[in-house]
Amino acid sequence: MFERPKFGERAVLVHMALGSPVDPDEMQEFIDLATSAGAEVMEMVSGSRSQPDPRLFIGKGKAAEIKQIIESEEAELVIFDHSLSPSQERNLEQYFKCRVLDRSGLILDIFAQRARSFEGKLQVELAQLRHLSTRLVRGWTHLERQKGGIGLRGPGETQLETDRRLLNARISQIKKRLEKVETQRSQGRRARERAEIPTVSLVGYTNAGKSTLFNTLTQADVYAEDQLFATLDPTMRRLELPDNSAVILADTVGFVSKLPHELVAAFKSTLLETVEADLLLHVVDDASHQRQFFIEEVNVVLAEIGADKVAQIKVYNKIDLVEDEKAHVQINDEGVAESVWLSAQSGEGIGLLLKALQNFFKHDHEMLDLALDCSHGKLHAELYQAAQILADEPDEYGGWQMKVKMEKKIFEQMKKNNQEFKLLLQAH
């Protein structure tokens, strides 16, 4: 989409607290975001206002202060830790005589650098185009007139209209391609459902250590770096549990506060792995004093994508950075793990997490030994559709001796709706 400079761009950062005091943790996260994008931070300007100025977002005095810093530091870019309207962005660029980027544009840029798969790149481009379409007027103000003259007689539309039409055509093209990718992904999900292998999805605030935990659990070599949004594309691996059962483990994109809506929309199909998972491992940075805020922010995004009803186990990671914190498990009244404390880096507590996963799926399933006679042919076929068949041996009377593993919710449905199955259970 955009040409990228070979070296870090010299940037001035602007963080304004609106109706509240300046939060140093928010400022630090903003600095981390800018650094992750490759910016060389020259200076951070902060302040507070009761509400944004409709024209420049900041006041005239603050704008003059930033302009002076741009000139003295020879900065090429000003990044705001807020969403700016297209007109505010345009007015600020005219005033500062350099490029201005808002928080949404910054996160989109980081995503553009991190996307590795075909699908990830398409989704980032779609989000960028949607963001850009609202800002098309910038740069074309001097050309907003009909084409004309020798060699310039066109279809009778302004340059701006041409650009908008081309953008919309490209957006439609990307949507069609993403629909194809989503069809392939849903086929993979259906195959996993048929194999009755449950899916466990890692979620959490960006930089909580999800990819490191994923690598430790599966001995995979997923890109893991101490930077924001190191992982964009979902990676899936089979994970063997201590009782020789298995789950599919999915590593997903990290969440962040004030995530641009363009990105939530564009990454819907990536996050579908989260919505359709049987269990979420909500990874939390235990060493951060903001951990409760991060937990709440992740839950907000989960609710936005419809994954707030999926069962969760909280995984408090990085206990090696917390004084006197040891690996342990917190269990609820039903005997199922609610939280696990561990270190993905050192491996301490990994065994506890594997046992917690094994225990969760044991509680979530019914193990049944069934003796079907020759009149139960239809039920025999239905069990193959509804359950994981662990053993199926024909007996001397034309019936079957079966051992099956069935999800509790499916078991309850069959017991309620299938009279033959209900009677068979009563006979046992």
Side-chain angles (χ1 to χ4, degrees):
M1 271 291 300
F2 306 112
E3 286 201 11
R4 180 174 309 290
K6 288 179 183 169
F7 307 103
E9 287 180 275
R10 297 165 69 85
V12 176
L13 308 187
V14 182
H15 174 87
M16 300 297 292
L18 300 173
S20 61
V22 173
D23 185 338
D25 292 315
E26 281 187 14
M27 285 172 63
Q28 187 55 52
E29 182 184 273
F30 180 38
I31 291 168
D32 291 343
L33 276 172
T35 309
S36 291
E40 186 186 345
V41 178
M42 307 313 296
E43 195 155 337
M44 162 73 94
V45 177
S46 64
S48 54
R49 286 182 68 88
S50 56
Q51 59 186 48
D53 176 74
R55 190 173 170 274
L56 292 174
F57 190 89
I58 48 177
K60 286 180 183 174
K62 191 64 73 176
E65 180 192 334
I66 294 165
K67 190 171 184 178
Q68 201 171 0
I69 294 167
I70 293 165
E71 288 165 2
S72 63
E73 297 289 347
E74 296 181 353
E76 307 151 278
L77 177 65
V78 179
I79 309 174
F80 279 71
D81 190 21
H82 313 274
S83 288
L84 299 174
S85 70
S87 62
Q88 285 170 338
E89 205 170 291
R90 196 162 61 250
N91 294 337
L92 287 163
E93 283 190 343
Q94 285 171 353
Y95 185 79
F96 293 147
K97 303 287 189 290
C98 74
R99 273 199 318 125
V100 172
L101 202 60
D102 68 356
R103 185 182 174 92
S104 296
L106 174 64
I107 294 174
L108 281 165
D109 187 81
I110 296 170
F111 273 47
Q113 293 179 57
R114 301 281 193 274
R116 285 176 170 75
S117 73
F118 174 68
E119 181 189 14
K121 286 173 181 172
L122 280 179
Q123 286 174 325
V124 170
E125 189 182 349
L126 179 61
Q128 281 181 322
L129 290 172
R130 281 175 169 159
H131 185 70
L132 189 65
S133 64
T134 62
R135 287 156 164 73
L136 257 190
V137 72
R138 182 177 68 187
W140 288 115
T141 47
H142 61 297
L143 290 175
E144 284 178 0
R145 58 181 180 268
Q146 293 297 114
K147 291 179 183 176
I150 297 167
L152 292 173
R153 292 185 183 92
E157 61 184 350
T158 64
Q159 181 65 54
L160 188 62
E161 285 165 344
T162 305
D163 286 353
R164 197 162 276 148
R165 181 170 50 78
L166 291 171
L167 265 185
N168 288 335
R170 179 65 181 153
I171 285 170
S172 298
Q173 189 184 21
I174 291 171
K175 279 182 176 174
K176 282 177 188 167
R177 286 191 184 178
L178 281 171
E179 278 168 19
K180 281 187 184 174
V181 174
E182 175 48 32
T183 304
Q184 291 163 355
R185 195 185 278 282
S186 63
Q187 284 167 352
R189 269 196 295 272
R190 281 199 296 274
R192 288 197 299 277
E193 282 162 15
R194 280 198 298 274
E196 279 296 314
I197 302 177
T199 304
V200 177
S201 196
L202 293 171
V203 298
Y205 207 79
T206 187
N207 219 20
K210 294 184 302 302
S211 295
T212 306
L213 179 60
F214 184 88
N215 288 341
T216 304
L217 286 168
T218 62
Q219 281 82 54
D221 188 24
V222 172
Y223 183 64
E225 197 61 52
D226 184 23
Q227 56 180 200
L228 303 184
F229 303 117
T231 308
L232 272 195
D233 304 307
T235 311
M236 311 193 82
R237 294 284 186 279
R238 185 185 172 96
L239 173 64
E240 300 289 335
L241 299 180
D243 64 352
N244 294 324
S245 63
V247 297
I248 298 293
L249 191 65
D251 186 18
T252 58
V253 62
F255 298 176
V256 70
S257 63
K258 296 178 277 186
L259 187 71
H261 280 283
E262 296 102 330
L263 279 177
V264 174
F267 279 81
K268 265 279 165 67
S269 61
T270 302
L271 295 169
L272 263 176
E273 300 297 350
T274 305
V275 181
E276 299 191 0
D278 298 281
L279 173 67
L280 302 180
L281 290 183
H282 184 161
V283 185
V284 180
D285 180 355
D286 195 36
S288 170
H289 65 278
Q290 274 194 297
R291 66 182 197 178
Q292 195 52 45
F293 167 74
F294 292 158
I295 289 168
E296 286 161 12
E297 285 294 318
V298 169
N299 286 332
V300 165
V301 180
L302 288 175
E304 233 178 291
I305 62 170
D308 49 333
K309 301 287 187 289
V310 183
Q312 266 192 35
I313 294 178
K314 286 195 181 62
V315 178
Y316 290 96
N317 186 26
K318 305 188 185 180
I319 61 167
D320 50 317
L321 304 179
V322 182
E323 200 177 339
D324 298 328
E325 188 80 277
K326 299 286 180 216
H328 65 285
V329 180
Q330 184 178 309
I331 289 169
N332 65 17
D333 296 338
E334 294 169 13
V336 177
E338 280 186 340
S339 307
V340 181
W341 280 257
L342 54 75
S343 167
Q345 194 70 48
S346 71
E348 185 188 353
I350 292 294
L352 293 175
L353 177 60
L354 290 171
K355 280 181 185 165
L357 286 172
Q358 177 186 305
N359 197 31
F360 175 85
F361 287 109
K362 262 189 185 164
H363 276 75
D364 204 41
H365 285 78
E366 289 285 346
M367 303 289 283
L368 303 168
D369 288 300
L370 301 171
L372 281 68
D373 62 38
C374 57
S375 67
H376 289 135
K378 189 181 175 189
L379 178 59
H380 182 260
E382 283 177 9
L383 285 168
Y384 266 87
Q385 292 292 318
Q388 185 179 356
I389 310 302
L390 303 175
D392 182 11
E393 298 290 333
D395 64 21
E396 54 188 306
Y397 306 108
W400 303 270
Q401 296 292 326
M402 300 184 76
K403 187 179 179 69
V404 302
K405 182 180 175 184
M406 189 182 294
E407 278 184 48
K408 263 197 177 144
K409 58 185 176 186
I410 295 172
F411 171 75
E412 294 299 336
Q413 281 169 4
M414 275 193 76
K415 202 164 69 166
K416 185 179 171 184
N417 302 327
N418 191 313
Q419 191 63 23
E420 201 174 26
F421 183 61
K422 189 178 176 180
L423 291 170
L424 185 69
L425 291 174
Q426 286 169 358
H428 280 70

